[in-house]
Short mmCIF file of all heavy atoms in Angstrom, two decimals:
data_model
loop_
_atom_site.label_atom_id
_atom_site.label_comp_id
_atom_site.label_asym_id
_atom_site.label_seq_id
_atom_site.Cartn_x
_atom_site.Cartn_y
_atom_site.Cartn_z
N MET A 986 -12.92 43.15 33.23
CA MET A 986 -13.24 44.57 33.32
C MET A 986 -14.72 44.75 32.98
O MET A 986 -15.15 44.42 31.87
CB MET A 986 -12.37 45.35 32.30
CG MET A 986 -12.59 46.85 32.30
SD MET A 986 -12.04 47.60 30.75
CE MET A 986 -10.29 47.40 30.83
N HIS A 987 -15.50 45.26 33.93
CA HIS A 987 -16.93 45.53 33.70
C HIS A 987 -17.06 47.01 33.37
O HIS A 987 -16.52 47.87 34.09
CB HIS A 987 -17.74 45.19 34.95
CG HIS A 987 -17.55 43.77 35.42
ND1 HIS A 987 -18.32 42.73 34.95
CD2 HIS A 987 -16.65 43.22 36.27
CE1 HIS A 987 -17.92 41.60 35.53
NE2 HIS A 987 -16.90 41.87 36.32
N LEU A 988 -17.77 47.31 32.29
CA LEU A 988 -17.86 48.70 31.81
C LEU A 988 -19.27 49.24 32.03
O LEU A 988 -20.26 48.55 31.73
CB LEU A 988 -17.50 48.75 30.33
CG LEU A 988 -16.07 48.28 30.03
CD1 LEU A 988 -16.06 47.13 29.06
CD2 LEU A 988 -15.25 49.44 29.51
N TYR A 989 -19.35 50.47 32.53
CA TYR A 989 -20.63 51.10 32.84
C TYR A 989 -20.71 52.44 32.11
O TYR A 989 -19.90 53.33 32.39
CB TYR A 989 -20.77 51.33 34.34
CG TYR A 989 -20.63 50.07 35.16
CD1 TYR A 989 -19.36 49.59 35.51
CD2 TYR A 989 -21.75 49.34 35.56
CE1 TYR A 989 -19.22 48.43 36.24
CE2 TYR A 989 -21.61 48.17 36.30
CZ TYR A 989 -20.34 47.72 36.64
OH TYR A 989 -20.19 46.55 37.35
N GLU A 990 -21.66 52.56 31.22
CA GLU A 990 -21.82 53.84 30.50
C GLU A 990 -22.64 54.80 31.35
O GLU A 990 -23.64 54.41 31.96
CB GLU A 990 -22.54 53.60 29.18
CG GLU A 990 -21.64 53.03 28.11
CD GLU A 990 -22.36 52.95 26.79
OE1 GLU A 990 -23.16 52.02 26.63
OE2 GLU A 990 -22.11 53.81 25.93
N THR A 991 -22.20 56.03 31.38
CA THR A 991 -22.95 57.04 32.14
C THR A 991 -22.72 58.43 31.54
O THR A 991 -21.68 58.68 30.94
CB THR A 991 -22.52 57.04 33.62
OG1 THR A 991 -23.22 58.08 34.30
CG2 THR A 991 -21.03 57.26 33.79
N ASP A 992 -23.73 59.30 31.72
CA ASP A 992 -23.54 60.69 31.29
C ASP A 992 -23.67 61.63 32.49
O ASP A 992 -23.92 62.80 32.34
CB ASP A 992 -24.54 61.06 30.18
CG ASP A 992 -25.98 60.85 30.62
OD1 ASP A 992 -26.19 60.51 31.82
OD2 ASP A 992 -26.89 61.00 29.79
N SER A 993 -23.51 61.08 33.70
CA SER A 993 -23.67 61.93 34.88
C SER A 993 -22.52 61.77 35.88
O SER A 993 -22.73 61.89 37.08
CB SER A 993 -25.00 61.60 35.57
OG SER A 993 -25.00 60.25 36.00
N ALA A 994 -21.34 61.47 35.38
CA ALA A 994 -20.21 61.28 36.31
C ALA A 994 -19.56 62.62 36.65
O ALA A 994 -19.57 63.56 35.85
CB ALA A 994 -19.18 60.36 35.68
N GLU A 995 -18.99 62.67 37.82
CA GLU A 995 -18.20 63.83 38.26
C GLU A 995 -16.73 63.42 38.24
O GLU A 995 -16.40 62.30 38.63
CB GLU A 995 -18.56 64.21 39.69
CG GLU A 995 -20.00 64.64 39.92
CD GLU A 995 -20.25 66.04 39.40
OE1 GLU A 995 -19.27 66.83 39.37
OE2 GLU A 995 -21.39 66.34 39.01
N ALA A 996 -15.87 64.34 37.85
CA ALA A 996 -14.43 64.05 37.87
C ALA A 996 -13.92 64.06 39.31
O ALA A 996 -14.19 64.99 40.06
CB ALA A 996 -13.67 65.07 37.03
N ARG A 997 -13.20 63.03 39.70
CA ARG A 997 -12.59 62.97 41.03
C ARG A 997 -11.11 63.33 40.90
O ARG A 997 -10.60 63.52 39.80
CB ARG A 997 -12.71 61.55 41.60
CG ARG A 997 -14.14 61.13 41.82
CD ARG A 997 -14.19 59.73 42.40
NE ARG A 997 -15.56 59.32 42.64
CZ ARG A 997 -15.90 58.11 43.07
NH1 ARG A 997 -14.97 57.19 43.30
NH2 ARG A 997 -17.16 57.81 43.27
N GLU A 998 -10.45 63.35 42.04
CA GLU A 998 -9.01 63.66 42.03
C GLU A 998 -8.28 62.67 41.11
O GLU A 998 -8.52 61.46 41.17
CB GLU A 998 -8.45 63.55 43.44
CG GLU A 998 -7.03 64.04 43.54
CD GLU A 998 -6.50 63.89 44.96
OE1 GLU A 998 -7.29 63.69 45.88
OE2 GLU A 998 -5.26 63.96 45.09
N GLY A 999 -7.42 63.19 40.27
CA GLY A 999 -6.68 62.33 39.34
C GLY A 999 -7.44 62.03 38.05
O GLY A 999 -6.95 61.31 37.19
N GLU A 1000 -8.66 62.62 37.95
CA GLU A 1000 -9.47 62.38 36.74
C GLU A 1000 -9.70 63.72 36.03
O GLU A 1000 -9.74 64.77 36.67
CB GLU A 1000 -10.82 61.77 37.11
CG GLU A 1000 -10.70 60.43 37.78
CD GLU A 1000 -12.02 59.85 38.25
OE1 GLU A 1000 -13.07 60.53 38.12
OE2 GLU A 1000 -12.01 58.72 38.76
N ARG A 1001 -9.85 63.66 34.70
CA ARG A 1001 -10.20 64.89 33.98
C ARG A 1001 -10.89 64.55 32.67
O ARG A 1001 -10.76 63.44 32.14
CB ARG A 1001 -8.99 65.80 33.74
CG ARG A 1001 -7.84 65.20 33.00
CD ARG A 1001 -6.85 66.25 32.56
NE ARG A 1001 -7.31 66.89 31.33
CZ ARG A 1001 -6.50 67.45 30.44
NH1 ARG A 1001 -5.20 67.51 30.70
NH2 ARG A 1001 -6.97 67.97 29.34
N TRP A 1002 -11.64 65.55 32.21
CA TRP A 1002 -12.36 65.40 30.95
C TRP A 1002 -11.41 65.72 29.79
O TRP A 1002 -10.68 66.71 29.84
CB TRP A 1002 -13.57 66.34 30.91
CG TRP A 1002 -14.62 65.96 31.91
CD1 TRP A 1002 -14.78 66.48 33.17
CD2 TRP A 1002 -15.64 64.98 31.74
NE1 TRP A 1002 -15.83 65.88 33.80
CE2 TRP A 1002 -16.39 64.96 32.95
CE3 TRP A 1002 -16.02 64.12 30.72
CZ2 TRP A 1002 -17.47 64.10 33.14
CZ3 TRP A 1002 -17.10 63.28 30.90
CH2 TRP A 1002 -17.81 63.26 32.10
N PHE A 1003 -11.45 64.88 28.77
CA PHE A 1003 -10.66 65.12 27.55
C PHE A 1003 -11.61 65.24 26.36
O PHE A 1003 -12.62 64.52 26.28
CB PHE A 1003 -9.72 63.94 27.29
CG PHE A 1003 -8.49 63.94 28.16
CD1 PHE A 1003 -8.48 63.21 29.34
CD2 PHE A 1003 -7.37 64.67 27.81
CE1 PHE A 1003 -7.36 63.20 30.15
CE2 PHE A 1003 -6.24 64.66 28.62
CZ PHE A 1003 -6.23 63.93 29.79
N ARG A 1004 -11.24 66.12 25.46
CA ARG A 1004 -11.97 66.14 24.19
C ARG A 1004 -11.69 64.84 23.45
O ARG A 1004 -10.57 64.29 23.52
CB ARG A 1004 -11.53 67.34 23.32
CG ARG A 1004 -11.92 68.70 23.93
CD ARG A 1004 -11.79 69.82 22.89
NE ARG A 1004 -10.56 69.75 22.14
CZ ARG A 1004 -9.38 70.22 22.57
NH1 ARG A 1004 -9.31 70.79 23.76
NH2 ARG A 1004 -8.31 70.13 21.82
N LEU A 1005 -12.70 64.34 22.75
CA LEU A 1005 -12.55 63.03 22.11
C LEU A 1005 -11.35 62.99 21.16
O LEU A 1005 -10.66 61.99 21.06
CB LEU A 1005 -13.83 62.65 21.37
CG LEU A 1005 -15.07 62.50 22.27
CD1 LEU A 1005 -16.28 62.07 21.44
CD2 LEU A 1005 -14.84 61.53 23.40
N GLU A 1006 -11.08 64.11 20.48
CA GLU A 1006 -9.98 64.11 19.52
C GLU A 1006 -8.61 64.09 20.20
O GLU A 1006 -7.60 63.83 19.55
CB GLU A 1006 -10.09 65.28 18.52
CG GLU A 1006 -10.09 66.66 19.14
CD GLU A 1006 -11.51 67.16 19.49
OE1 GLU A 1006 -12.40 66.32 19.70
OE2 GLU A 1006 -11.69 68.38 19.56
N GLU A 1007 -8.57 64.34 21.50
CA GLU A 1007 -7.29 64.30 22.23
C GLU A 1007 -6.91 62.88 22.63
O GLU A 1007 -5.74 62.58 22.91
CB GLU A 1007 -7.39 65.11 23.54
CG GLU A 1007 -7.52 66.61 23.35
CD GLU A 1007 -7.66 67.30 24.71
OE1 GLU A 1007 -8.68 67.08 25.39
OE2 GLU A 1007 -6.74 68.04 25.08
N VAL A 1008 -7.90 61.99 22.68
CA VAL A 1008 -7.69 60.68 23.29
C VAL A 1008 -6.64 59.85 22.56
O VAL A 1008 -5.83 59.16 23.17
CB VAL A 1008 -9.04 59.93 23.39
CG1 VAL A 1008 -8.84 58.51 23.88
CG2 VAL A 1008 -9.99 60.68 24.32
#
Side-chain angles (χ1 to χ4, degrees):
M986 181 201 292
H987 304 272
L988 298 123
Y989 302 84
E990 282 186 282
T991 177
D992 57 6
S993 61
E995 298 285 332
R997 296 181 179 176
E998 188 181 344
E1000 298 176 356
R1001 58 167 278 207
W1002 293 95
F1003 282 94
R1004 294 195 314 278
L1005 298 182
E1006 59 270 25
E1007 292 178 294
V1008 174

